[in-house]
Amino acid sequence: MSMIISLIIGMICGIFPAIFGLLREQLEIGIYGFVSCIVSALLFGIYISIPISFLFLLYLVKRTTATNKRIIGELVSLPVQPESERS
């Protein structure tokens, strides 16, 4: 019975990175977070499953923010002065 409860807890904790990864177009990492939460809940219980879920959420936020900054940097380029006009 406790194994089923741990599985359910892991699924509940893991659904957050999975949904967030889907919304941020990083589904593969979200699924890794989902599976990691289930496995950690089965092995160690809720005490490890919640922090792993949180860490995957932080990783997804950081990764998508860095990607967005890179894309914005490519789209918005500063005007380049010719060398003859530079002082």
Side-chain angles (χ1 to χ4, degrees):
M1 187 67 165
S2 67
M3 198 97 157
I4 294 172
I5 293 172
S6 295
L7 181 67
I8 291 171
I9 289 171
M11 291 175 71
I12 290 171
C13 291
I15 198 74
F16 297 111
I19 290 174
F20 197 74
L22 178 67
L23 294 176
R24 295 286 181 129
E25 298 177 355
Q26 300 287 327
L27 183 62
E28 184 177 356
I29 297 170
I31 295 300
Y32 288 153
F34 182 75
V35 171
S36 298
C37 287
I38 291 174
V39 170
S40 66
L42 288 173
L43 294 177
F44 303 109
I46 194 169
Y47 301 111
I48 299 296
S49 185
I50 290 175
I52 286 181
S53 175
F54 184 70
L55 288 174
F56 269 96
L57 285 173
L58 285 177
Y59 179 71
L60 283 166
V61 167
K62 184 176 179 180
R63 181 178 171 108
T64 55
T65 303
T67 303
N68 289 343
K69 285 182 181 179
R70 182 182 50 83
I71 291 172
I72 290 171
E74 290 174 359
L75 292 175
V76 179
S77 61
L78 297 174
V80 178
Q81 296 177 349
E83 285 194 33
S84 61
E85 295 180 10
R86 292 183 190 170
S87 333

